[in-house]
């Protein structure tokens, strides 16, 4: 866990002014230096936090590939090395209804606190703030779209085509097979591998 | 677990790569191999335990070579794990591997150059690459078999035969190996290469109460098999490689669990729900295995 860097996260639903926020971001307005992420493209808290972790780690090692640490977080969500594509897929767009906002505070920006961030955001974002937790993500995430972007596999509901394969572990452990968890593992691995030669 | 002595701990800390040398609570060293050190730590929050496999750089190697080697190894392992995780999403495959959580393959890479003094605090210690994986709770098959063996040796005379047979069944079921992979996994630690992630199912619970409590109890053998440690895994579909793989497993098994050696062949390889039954190409591979047994590893007669 990266020390001395604080990460602030907020989540909003029913956002009205998504295109305004996107314009501010593109204009490079310093007041709007946030990671704006379309929440429907996020599977879980771990998903986005892992991306943030990687971005912060890369920042600490001075190997950001994008403009700033916030754009890096959006980039880190992507399984490939195309920054523009990452923004198109995961960033905020006019059609974004559910928004996730992240802000990183470093040692050099002591004025960024949870208060200042939430105040600034609540004035500028027209939407309903909601809690940053997995339950809310399950409600808004578009699993099929996420799966397509990461080219991941979901378990098929019908039984395997290889007939004659008996169930090996009759008493295989108590954890039910959770497709979201399985998708999440693949995504975490793909995000970690991004950019590896 | 005893508290580590302060001096060795300081030495270990110098190996801890950057984001983790300031983590609190500090990562716990669990194992030390020739290639890497294994720590128990957490990911993002203390509620998510994680395994950190750190490959420190070896100063006796030429630095360029060292960097390249470490990077390749970490990446190779990560790729195999991710690929298997992709396969594992199909429940029919029943493969379990740890999820890759985070990865660092080149700790020295910088996009903007800074002078060494400015970087000093972080780059000290020569920490190389690391791989952060999902923590798998449980014990290795090796441990479980050992414990089972102990129990078997000391069991009291009035334990009915069926219960013994049932226990044996359980153990054999544990040993079942997958055949349906597209990559040939050369598990580096075959004697402990599978960890048994036991979860809630305690079908054996009541069984155990009847046993003699003084002697060692048979371990709870339920749970899912999770494969770990793919440090030397390669992706190859050649039969030769697959049979060498099995051979390694067989020999390692035989050396650590000599009493159960014949089980390996009978159950794992030949039985219907073992290798032979569950994998399409098993015939060829098993035939090759006989050849490999005769001549040993790495003496491939293929040009």
């Amino acid at each position: 866990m990266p020390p001395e860097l604080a990460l602030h996260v907020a989540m909003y639903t029913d956002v009205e002014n998504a295109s305004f926020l996107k314009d501010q971001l593109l204009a490079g307005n310093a007041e709007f230096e946030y990671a704006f992420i379309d929440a429907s493209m996020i599977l879980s808290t771990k998903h986005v936090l892992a991306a943030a972790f990687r971005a912060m780690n890369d920042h600490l090692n001075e190997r950001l590939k994008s403009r700033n640490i916030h754009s890096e977080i959006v980039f880190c969500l992507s399984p490939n090395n195309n920054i523009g594509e990452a923004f198109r897929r995961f960033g905020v767009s006019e059609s974004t209804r559910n928004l996730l906002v992240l802000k990183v505070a470093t040692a050099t920006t002591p004025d960024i606190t949870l208060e200042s961030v939430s105040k600034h955001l609540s004035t500028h974002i027209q939407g309903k703030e909601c809690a940053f937790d997995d339950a809310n993500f399950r409600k808004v995430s578009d699993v099929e779209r996420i799966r397509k972007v990461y080219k991941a596999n979901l378990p098929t509901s019908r039984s395997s085509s290889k007939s004659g394969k008996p169930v090996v572990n009759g008493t295989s452990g108590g954890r039910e097979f959770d497709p979201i968890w399985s998708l999440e593992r693949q995504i975490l691995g793909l995000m970690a591998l991004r950019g590896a030669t | 677990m005893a508290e580590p002595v302060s001096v060795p701990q300081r030495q270990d800390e110098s190996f801890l790569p950057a984001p983790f040398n300031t983590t609190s609570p500090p990562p716990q060293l669990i194992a030390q191999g020739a290639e890497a050190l294994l720590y128990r730590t957490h990911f993002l929050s203390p509620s998510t335990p994680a395994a950190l496999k750190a490959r420190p750089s070896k100063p006796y190697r030429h630095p360029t070579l060292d960097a390249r080697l470490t990077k390749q190894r970490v990446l190779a392992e990560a790729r195999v794990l991710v690929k298997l995780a992709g396969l594992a999403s199909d429940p029919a495959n029943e493969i379990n591997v740890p999820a890759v959580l985070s990865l660092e393959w080149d700790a020295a890479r910088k996009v903007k150059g800074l002078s060494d003094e400015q970087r000093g605090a972080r780059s000290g210690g020569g920490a190389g690459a690391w791989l952060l994986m999902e923590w798998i709770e449980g014990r290795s098959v090796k441990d479980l078999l050992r414990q089972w063996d102990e129990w078997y040796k000391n069991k009291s005379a009035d334990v009915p035969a069926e219960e013994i047979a049932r226990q044996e069944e359980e153990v054999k079921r544990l040993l079942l190996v997958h055949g349906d992979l597209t990559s040939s996994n050369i598990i580096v630690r075959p004697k402990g290469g599978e960890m048994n992630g036991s979860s809630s199912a305690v079908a054996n619970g009541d069984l155990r109460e009847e046993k003699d409590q003084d002697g060692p109890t048979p371990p709870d053998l339920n749970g899912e098999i999770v494969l770990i440690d793919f440090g030397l895994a390669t992706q190859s579909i050649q039969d030769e490689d697959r049979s060498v793989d099995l051979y390694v497993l067989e020999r390692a098994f035989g050396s650590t669990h000599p009493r159960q050696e014949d089980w390996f062949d009978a159950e794992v390889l030949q039985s219907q729900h073992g290798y032979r039954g569950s994998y399409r190409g098993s015939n060829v591979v098993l035939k090759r295995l006989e050849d490999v047994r005769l001549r040993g590893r790495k003496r491939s007669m293929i040009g």
Side-chain angles (χ1 to χ4, degrees):
Chain A
M1 268 176 28
E4 91 241 359
L5 294 181
L7 181 70
H8 304 294
V9 190
M11 188 159 153
Y12 296 87
T13 52
D14 304 319
V15 173
E16 314 269 316
N17 59 339
S19 27
F20 165 72
L21 296 169
K22 178 177 178 182
D23 292 337
Q24 293 300 312
L25 193 62
L26 287 178
N29 189 338
E31 274 198 12
F32 282 86
E33 199 178 303
Y34 294 101
F36 285 119
I37 300 176
D38 191 331
S40 56
M41 288 305 285
I42 302 292
L43 197 61
S44 66
T45 54
K46 205 180 273 184
H47 180 191
V48 62
L49 288 177
F53 179 80
R54 170 147 187 188
M56 286 157 101
N57 197 21
D58 284 348
H59 165 74
L60 286 175
N61 286 323
E62 289 134 41
R63 47 162 176 251
L64 292 185
K65 284 187 144 183
S66 64
R67 199 191 326 168
N68 57 46
I69 193 174
H70 301 96
S71 53
E72 192 81 11
I73 296 180
V74 180
F75 179 42
C76 284
L77 283 169
S78 171
N80 58 37
N81 270 323
N82 191 326
I83 304 182
E85 196 179 346
F87 269 88
R88 261 178 285 133
R89 285 174 171 171
F90 297 96
V92 64
S93 67
E94 296 103 38
S95 59
T96 303
R97 304 291 307 159
N98 301 301
L99 184 69
L100 189 61
V101 187
L102 283 90
K103 180 84 181 166
V104 179
T106 66
T108 53
T109 53
D111 50 326
I112 300 178
T113 63
L114 186 58
E115 279 177 29
S116 66
V117 167
S118 50
K119 217 166 30 139
H120 185 248
L121 286 180
S122 51
T123 37
H124 291 279
I125 296 185
Q126 293 162 16
K128 257 192 312 206
E129 183 165 2
C130 65
F132 175 70
D133 57 32
D134 283 327
N136 279 326
F137 275 115
R138 295 227 176 186
K139 275 191 245 165
V140 305
S141 37
D142 185 343
V143 180
E144 193 48 38
R145 240 175 88 208
I146 298 176
R147 193 188 69 78
K148 282 214 187 84
V149 166
Y150 286 105
K151 296 191 181 59
N153 307 310
L154 266 188
T156 50
S157 49
R158 57 184 168 79
S159 56
S160 163
S161 56
K162 297 173 182 49
S163 59
K165 182 170 178 163
V167 175
V168 167
N169 280 347
T171 52
S172 84
R175 183 174 75 186
E176 298 113 35
F177 192 78
D178 182 7
I180 302 271
W181 165 231
S182 131
L183 182 58
E184 189 180 57
R185 309 157 67 114
Q186 294 179 63
I187 292 178
L188 289 176
L190 289 171
M191 290 197 320
L193 274 178
R194 181 189 58 74
T197 16
Chain B
M1 209 186 271
E3 287 287 302
V5 180
S6 58
V7 171
Q9 190 173 29
R10 261 207 301 279
Q11 287 175 344
D12 290 342
E13 274 173 14
S14 70
F15 282 138
L16 276 176
F20 297 100
N21 50 8
T22 44
T23 307
S24 72
Q28 255 180 332
L29 183 66
I30 304 181
Q32 186 161 358
E35 283 283 328
L37 299 131
L38 189 63
Y39 293 90
R40 177 181 179 148
T41 175
H42 53 87
F43 180 58
L44 301 176
S45 83
S47 57
T48 317
L52 176 68
K53 187 164 171 176
R55 291 179 186 262
S57 55
K58 310 264 180 169
Y60 56 80
R61 285 184 192 149
H62 189 282
T64 319
L65 181 63
D66 186 41
R68 202 185 303 173
L69 259 185
T70 338
K71 168 175 158 181
Q72 277 176 357
R73 296 216 173 124
V74 167
L75 280 182
E77 188 172 358
R79 281 190 193 119
V80 164
L81 282 176
V82 171
K83 178 163 181 176
L84 286 179
L87 289 177
S89 65
D90 181 356
N93 273 334
E94 298 182 54
I95 303 171
N96 284 310
V97 288
V100 172
L101 298 175
S102 186
L103 181 58
E104 173 63 77
W105 64 84
D106 196 350
R109 174 168 55 114
K110 306 259 185 278
V111 172
K112 309 197 219 352
L114 270 193
S115 68
D116 268 329
E117 302 91 62
Q118 284 173 306
R119 270 195 246 128
R122 234 178 301 113
S123 71
W130 49 264
L131 172 60
L132 192 69
M133 301 178 268
E134 180 189 0
W135 177 261
I136 307 290
E137 194 58 56
R139 301 162 60 194
S140 66
V141 170
K142 163 184 164 203
D143 279 345
L144 288 174
L145 273 186
R146 282 261 159 91
Q147 194 182 354
W148 191 92
D149 198 53
E150 277 297 306
W151 169 79
Y152 190 77
K153 273 193 318 196
N154 298 330
K155 68 187 185 306
S156 46
D158 51 346
V159 171
E162 317 110 48
E163 278 172 18
I164 299 177
R166 194 179 345 179
Q167 286 291 321
E168 285 195 19
E169 264 294 302
E170 291 283 338
V171 178
K172 287 175 186 173
R173 209 180 324 169
L174 250 196
L175 306 179
L176 297 181
V177 180
H178 280 286
D180 201 37
L181 305 172
T182 55
S183 47
S184 168
N185 290 320
I186 303 176
I187 303 173
V188 174
R189 283 182 287 165
K191 53 189 192 299
E194 292 144 346
M195 285 195 97
N196 188 337
S198 313
S199 38
S200 55
V202 204
N204 275 346
D206 47 355
L207 204 64
R208 243 185 289 171
E209 285 162 22
E210 299 164 30
K211 302 273 188 284
D212 184 2
Q213 287 299 325
D214 293 352
T217 53
D220 179 8
L221 300 169
N222 288 319
E224 23 175 27
I225 305 275
V226 184
L227 300 177
I228 59 172
D229 199 359
F230 290 88
L232 285 187
T234 56
Q235 295 195 344
S236 130
I237 45 179
Q238 293 185 344
D239 296 321
E240 173 72 23
D241 291 332
R242 288 196 215 262
S243 40
V244 168
D245 204 20
L246 286 179
Y247 180 62
V248 169
L249 198 54
E250 185 182 60
R251 290 303 293 264
F253 201 83
S255 71
T256 31
H257 308 282
R259 259 180 291 270
Q260 284 81 31
E261 190 169 1
D262 41 357
W263 280 0
F264 186 81
D265 192 50
E267 285 300 318
V268 177
L269 294 180
Q270 306 296 345
S271 75
Q272 268 313 103
H273 49 258
Y275 194 65
R276 184 179 282 276
S278 67
Y279 176 51
R280 300 294 291 270
S282 62
N283 264 332
V284 185
V285 179
L286 287 169
K287 200 91 188 33
R288 270 335 267 268
L289 179 56
E290 286 175 26
D291 295 339
V292 175
R293 279 189 192 129
L294 286 177
R295 59 156 211 263
R297 294 168 59 205
K298 297 197 197 235
R299 283 175 187 74
S300 170
M301 314 296 191
I302 297 177

